[in-house]
Amino acid sequence: MQKFSKRVRAAGLRLGLVPTMGFLHAGHLSLVAKARKLCDVVVVSIFVNPTQFGAGEDFKKYPRDLPRDLKLLRQTGVAAVFYPSATEVYPPDFQTEVKVKALSANLCGLSRPAHFAGVATVVLKLFNIVRPDVAVFGQKDYQQLLVIKKMVADLNLGVKIMAGSIIREKNGLAMSSRNRYLGVADRHWAAKLYAALIYGKKLIKRGERGVAQLKKQILHRLRQDKKIKIEYLEVLNAANLDPLAKIRGKVLIALAVRLAGVRLIDNIIVETG
Ligand code: PAF
């Protein structure tokens, strides 16, 4: 991978990276398409990163299907797929960890305290190996996107981070490799998450400016569906995840729930002008 990247850069070509954990779907393919528009050469990495999974999480059963992924990628014009083994990425004496402290602390960080350190560390390794000019991440993992942008800024990595829009199923469910765990009926319930976010956006557009009132109304709607166990629903400053006294500027409405034992996240950005 390093030799390949060196050749690309020596030829003066712009290199793009789309980091993934595989089991690709239309969301990933849209990130690849974005990278292709911005770069001459695009690399996709596929690595189910053990350090971003907590104890008791789904690392072992996380869906993996490399032949299927390679088949999908063949149609996208990517130049190379990087799929290192776990021991290549983390040799037995591996000791280093990258922590983006405040941004990793709330939202998903509350229930997954080691998650973002695992993400930041592996993404830094991928950046150092692939040496991309541009890297594209999905906006569904909004907190992850901010954590990576902050790491790039704080450590002067010189990689341009681009965000790809959330790609949704017809019913509104945000695409995710973990949707694989959902049955047909669960997918129907999962569609309520996006409906709740859209409802929140409508309330803001209609003039709601109280954070507590907005959360209350969205939560009331979500709680009507008894199958949905809410982990968090937050309304925050979209630039830095700071709490808001009043709704204004660019606002993030983010949620995490459990449905049929599957953890799902989703979010929406609302510009209040
Ligand atoms: O978003 C993901 O798929 C992963 O968190 C990432 C960025 C590939 C790091 O393992």
Short mmCIF file of all heavy atoms in Angstrom, two decimals, residues 216-248:
data_model
loop_
_atom_site.label_atom_id
_atom_site.label_comp_id
_atom_site.label_asym_id
_atom_site.label_seq_id
_atom_site.Cartn_x
_atom_site.Cartn_y
_atom_site.Cartn_z
N LYS A 216 -38.32 17.45 24.10
CA LYS A 216 -39.51 16.85 24.70
C LYS A 216 -40.49 16.38 23.62
O LYS A 216 -41.02 15.26 23.67
CB LYS A 216 -40.17 17.90 25.61
CG LYS A 216 -41.14 17.33 26.59
CD LYS A 216 -41.53 18.39 27.59
CE LYS A 216 -42.91 18.04 28.12
NZ LYS A 216 -43.53 19.15 28.81
N GLN A 217 -40.70 17.24 22.62
CA GLN A 217 -41.67 16.90 21.57
C GLN A 217 -41.18 15.73 20.71
O GLN A 217 -41.95 14.84 20.36
CB GLN A 217 -41.95 18.13 20.70
CG GLN A 217 -42.69 19.21 21.48
CD GLN A 217 -42.86 20.47 20.66
OE1 GLN A 217 -43.79 20.58 19.89
NE2 GLN A 217 -41.97 21.42 20.81
N ILE A 218 -39.89 15.73 20.39
CA ILE A 218 -39.37 14.62 19.57
C ILE A 218 -39.42 13.32 20.38
O ILE A 218 -39.82 12.27 19.88
CB ILE A 218 -37.92 14.89 19.09
CG1 ILE A 218 -37.85 16.21 18.32
CG2 ILE A 218 -37.43 13.75 18.20
CD1 ILE A 218 -36.43 16.63 17.94
N LEU A 219 -39.01 13.42 21.66
CA LEU A 219 -39.02 12.22 22.51
C LEU A 219 -40.42 11.66 22.68
O LEU A 219 -40.63 10.45 22.63
CB LEU A 219 -38.43 12.56 23.89
CG LEU A 219 -36.91 12.62 23.95
CD1 LEU A 219 -36.45 13.21 25.27
CD2 LEU A 219 -36.29 11.25 23.74
N HIS A 220 -41.39 12.56 22.83
CA HIS A 220 -42.78 12.13 22.98
C HIS A 220 -43.17 11.28 21.77
O HIS A 220 -43.78 10.22 21.88
CB HIS A 220 -43.67 13.36 23.10
CG HIS A 220 -45.12 13.02 23.20
ND1 HIS A 220 -45.64 12.41 24.32
CD2 HIS A 220 -46.14 13.15 22.32
CE1 HIS A 220 -46.94 12.20 24.12
NE2 HIS A 220 -47.26 12.63 22.92
N ARG A 221 -42.77 11.75 20.59
CA ARG A 221 -43.11 11.03 19.36
C ARG A 221 -42.40 9.68 19.29
O ARG A 221 -42.99 8.65 18.97
CB ARG A 221 -42.69 11.91 18.18
CG ARG A 221 -43.35 11.47 16.92
CD ARG A 221 -42.91 12.36 15.80
NE ARG A 221 -43.28 11.71 14.57
CZ ARG A 221 -44.00 12.29 13.64
NH1 ARG A 221 -44.41 13.52 13.78
NH2 ARG A 221 -44.28 11.63 12.53
N LEU A 222 -41.10 9.70 19.65
CA LEU A 222 -40.33 8.45 19.58
C LEU A 222 -40.85 7.41 20.58
O LEU A 222 -40.87 6.22 20.29
CB LEU A 222 -38.85 8.72 19.91
CG LEU A 222 -37.95 9.15 18.76
CD1 LEU A 222 -36.59 9.54 19.31
CD2 LEU A 222 -37.81 8.06 17.71
N ARG A 223 -41.28 7.91 21.74
CA ARG A 223 -41.72 6.98 22.81
C ARG A 223 -43.04 6.31 22.50
O ARG A 223 -43.42 5.36 23.17
CB ARG A 223 -41.79 7.73 24.14
CG ARG A 223 -40.40 7.97 24.70
CD ARG A 223 -40.43 8.49 26.13
NE ARG A 223 -39.08 8.74 26.58
CZ ARG A 223 -38.64 9.89 27.08
NH1 ARG A 223 -39.46 10.92 27.19
NH2 ARG A 223 -37.38 10.02 27.45
N GLN A 224 -43.75 6.81 21.47
CA GLN A 224 -45.00 6.14 21.10
C GLN A 224 -44.73 4.75 20.54
O GLN A 224 -45.60 3.89 20.50
CB GLN A 224 -45.76 6.98 20.07
CG GLN A 224 -46.38 8.21 20.71
CD GLN A 224 -46.86 9.22 19.69
OE1 GLN A 224 -46.77 9.01 18.49
NE2 GLN A 224 -47.36 10.33 20.19
N ASP A 225 -43.51 4.56 20.08
CA ASP A 225 -43.14 3.25 19.52
C ASP A 225 -42.38 2.47 20.58
O ASP A 225 -41.18 2.69 20.79
CB ASP A 225 -42.30 3.46 18.26
CG ASP A 225 -43.10 4.18 17.21
OD1 ASP A 225 -44.21 3.72 16.92
OD2 ASP A 225 -42.64 5.23 16.72
N LYS A 226 -43.07 1.57 21.23
CA LYS A 226 -42.53 0.90 22.41
C LYS A 226 -41.30 0.04 22.09
O LYS A 226 -40.50 -0.27 22.94
CB LYS A 226 -43.60 0.03 23.07
CG LYS A 226 -44.81 0.82 23.56
CD LYS A 226 -44.54 1.44 24.94
CE LYS A 226 -45.66 2.33 25.42
NZ LYS A 226 -45.59 3.73 24.99
N LYS A 227 -41.17 -0.33 20.83
CA LYS A 227 -40.04 -1.19 20.45
C LYS A 227 -38.72 -0.42 20.48
O LYS A 227 -37.65 -1.01 20.52
CB LYS A 227 -40.25 -1.72 19.03
CG LYS A 227 -41.27 -2.81 18.94
CD LYS A 227 -41.09 -3.56 17.64
CE LYS A 227 -41.54 -4.97 17.81
NZ LYS A 227 -40.68 -5.91 17.16
N ILE A 228 -38.83 0.92 20.38
CA ILE A 228 -37.62 1.75 20.29
C ILE A 228 -37.16 2.15 21.68
O ILE A 228 -37.88 2.81 22.42
CB ILE A 228 -37.89 2.99 19.42
CG1 ILE A 228 -38.24 2.55 17.99
CG2 ILE A 228 -36.72 3.95 19.42
CD1 ILE A 228 -38.70 3.68 17.08
N LYS A 229 -35.95 1.70 22.06
CA LYS A 229 -35.38 2.06 23.38
C LYS A 229 -34.37 3.18 23.14
O LYS A 229 -33.34 2.96 22.48
CB LYS A 229 -34.65 0.87 24.01
CG LYS A 229 -35.50 -0.40 24.09
CD LYS A 229 -36.36 -0.42 25.34
CE LYS A 229 -37.30 -1.61 25.38
NZ LYS A 229 -38.70 -1.32 24.96
N ILE A 230 -34.69 4.35 23.67
CA ILE A 230 -33.85 5.52 23.34
C ILE A 230 -32.60 5.55 24.22
O ILE A 230 -32.68 5.47 25.44
CB ILE A 230 -34.67 6.82 23.53
CG1 ILE A 230 -35.89 6.75 22.60
CG2 ILE A 230 -33.83 8.05 23.22
CD1 ILE A 230 -37.03 7.62 23.03
N GLU A 231 -31.43 5.67 23.58
CA GLU A 231 -30.17 5.82 24.34
C GLU A 231 -29.91 7.31 24.55
O GLU A 231 -29.61 7.73 25.64
CB GLU A 231 -29.03 5.15 23.58
CG GLU A 231 -27.71 5.21 24.32
CD GLU A 231 -26.58 4.59 23.52
OE1 GLU A 231 -26.70 3.43 23.10
OE2 GLU A 231 -25.58 5.30 23.31
N TYR A 232 -30.00 8.08 23.48
CA TYR A 232 -29.94 9.54 23.64
C TYR A 232 -30.66 10.23 22.49
O TYR A 232 -30.79 9.68 21.39
CB TYR A 232 -28.49 10.06 23.75
CG TYR A 232 -27.63 9.93 22.51
CD1 TYR A 232 -27.83 10.71 21.39
CD2 TYR A 232 -26.58 9.01 22.48
CE1 TYR A 232 -27.03 10.59 20.26
CE2 TYR A 232 -25.77 8.87 21.36
CZ TYR A 232 -26.01 9.67 20.25
OH TYR A 232 -25.23 9.54 19.14
N LEU A 233 -31.14 11.41 22.80
CA LEU A 233 -31.61 12.32 21.76
C LEU A 233 -31.03 13.67 22.16
O LEU A 233 -31.29 14.15 23.27
CB LEU A 233 -33.14 12.41 21.73
CG LEU A 233 -33.60 13.58 20.84
CD1 LEU A 233 -33.54 13.23 19.37
CD2 LEU A 233 -34.97 14.07 21.21
N GLU A 234 -30.21 14.26 21.33
CA GLU A 234 -29.57 15.52 21.69
C GLU A 234 -29.73 16.56 20.59
O GLU A 234 -29.80 16.22 19.41
CB GLU A 234 -28.06 15.30 21.96
CG GLU A 234 -27.77 14.58 23.27
CD GLU A 234 -28.27 15.29 24.52
OE1 GLU A 234 -28.56 16.52 24.46
OE2 GLU A 234 -28.41 14.63 25.56
N VAL A 235 -29.78 17.80 21.04
CA VAL A 235 -29.83 18.94 20.11
C VAL A 235 -28.64 19.82 20.48
O VAL A 235 -28.58 20.36 21.58
CB VAL A 235 -31.17 19.70 20.28
CG1 VAL A 235 -31.21 20.91 19.36
CG2 VAL A 235 -32.35 18.76 20.03
N LEU A 236 -27.67 19.89 19.58
CA LEU A 236 -26.38 20.51 19.93
C LEU A 236 -25.89 21.43 18.82
O LEU A 236 -26.38 21.36 17.68
CB LEU A 236 -25.32 19.40 20.13
CG LEU A 236 -25.60 18.35 21.22
CD1 LEU A 236 -24.62 17.19 21.08
CD2 LEU A 236 -25.50 18.96 22.60
N ASN A 237 -24.89 22.23 19.16
CA ASN A 237 -24.20 23.04 18.17
C ASN A 237 -23.50 22.07 17.18
O ASN A 237 -22.66 21.26 17.60
CB ASN A 237 -23.17 23.90 18.90
CG ASN A 237 -22.40 24.80 17.96
OD1 ASN A 237 -22.21 24.49 16.79
ND2 ASN A 237 -21.96 25.93 18.49
N ALA A 238 -23.85 22.16 15.91
CA ALA A 238 -23.33 21.19 14.94
C ALA A 238 -21.83 21.35 14.69
O ALA A 238 -21.17 20.42 14.23
CB ALA A 238 -24.09 21.31 13.63
N ALA A 239 -21.28 22.52 15.01
CA ALA A 239 -19.85 22.74 14.72
C ALA A 239 -18.95 22.05 15.73
O ALA A 239 -17.87 21.58 15.39
CB ALA A 239 -19.57 24.24 14.71
N ASN A 240 -19.42 21.97 17.01
CA ASN A 240 -18.49 21.47 18.05
C ASN A 240 -19.17 20.59 19.10
O ASN A 240 -18.55 20.24 20.10
CB ASN A 240 -17.81 22.67 18.75
CG ASN A 240 -18.84 23.67 19.23
OD1 ASN A 240 -20.03 23.35 19.34
ND2 ASN A 240 -18.40 24.89 19.49
N LEU A 241 -20.43 20.28 18.89
CA LEU A 241 -21.23 19.44 19.81
C LEU A 241 -21.43 20.09 21.18
O LEU A 241 -21.73 19.39 22.16
CB LEU A 241 -20.62 18.04 19.97
CG LEU A 241 -20.40 17.23 18.70
CD1 LEU A 241 -19.93 15.82 19.05
CD2 LEU A 241 -21.65 17.15 17.86
N ASP A 242 -21.26 21.40 21.25
CA ASP A 242 -21.52 22.09 22.53
C ASP A 242 -23.03 22.16 22.76
O ASP A 242 -23.80 22.26 21.80
CB ASP A 242 -20.96 23.51 22.48
CG ASP A 242 -19.47 23.53 22.79
OD1 ASP A 242 -18.93 22.48 23.16
OD2 ASP A 242 -18.85 24.60 22.62
N PRO A 243 -23.44 22.17 24.05
CA PRO A 243 -24.87 22.34 24.34
C PRO A 243 -25.32 23.74 23.89
O PRO A 243 -24.51 24.67 23.82
CB PRO A 243 -24.95 22.22 25.86
CG PRO A 243 -23.59 21.89 26.33
CD PRO A 243 -22.61 22.02 25.23
N LEU A 244 -26.60 23.87 23.60
CA LEU A 244 -27.14 25.15 23.15
C LEU A 244 -28.10 25.69 24.20
O LEU A 244 -28.91 24.92 24.73
CB LEU A 244 -27.93 24.95 21.86
CG LEU A 244 -27.15 24.61 20.59
CD1 LEU A 244 -28.10 24.10 19.52
CD2 LEU A 244 -26.39 25.83 20.09
N ALA A 245 -28.01 26.98 24.47
CA ALA A 245 -29.00 27.59 25.36
C ALA A 245 -30.30 27.76 24.58
O ALA A 245 -31.40 27.49 25.06
CB ALA A 245 -28.49 28.92 25.88
N LYS A 246 -30.18 28.24 23.36
CA LYS A 246 -31.33 28.44 22.45
C LYS A 246 -30.95 27.86 21.10
O LYS A 246 -29.77 27.80 20.75
CB LYS A 246 -31.56 29.95 22.25
CG LYS A 246 -32.32 30.59 23.37
CD LYS A 246 -33.75 30.90 22.91
CE LYS A 246 -34.64 31.30 24.07
NZ LYS A 246 -35.58 30.33 24.49
N ILE A 247 -31.95 27.47 20.35
CA ILE A 247 -31.67 26.94 19.02
C ILE A 247 -31.31 28.07 18.08
O ILE A 247 -32.11 28.98 17.85
CB ILE A 247 -32.87 26.14 18.49
CG1 ILE A 247 -32.94 24.83 19.28
CG2 ILE A 247 -32.78 25.87 17.00
CD1 ILE A 247 -34.18 24.08 19.15
N ARG A 248 -30.08 28.04 17.59
CA ARG A 248 -29.69 29.02 16.57
C ARG A 248 -28.43 28.56 15.86
O ARG A 248 -27.67 27.73 16.38
CB ARG A 248 -29.52 30.41 17.16
CG ARG A 248 -28.39 30.55 18.11
CD ARG A 248 -28.12 32.01 18.30
NE ARG A 248 -27.05 32.17 19.27
CZ ARG A 248 -26.87 33.26 19.97
NH1 ARG A 248 -27.68 34.27 19.82
NH2 ARG A 248 -25.88 33.36 20.80
#
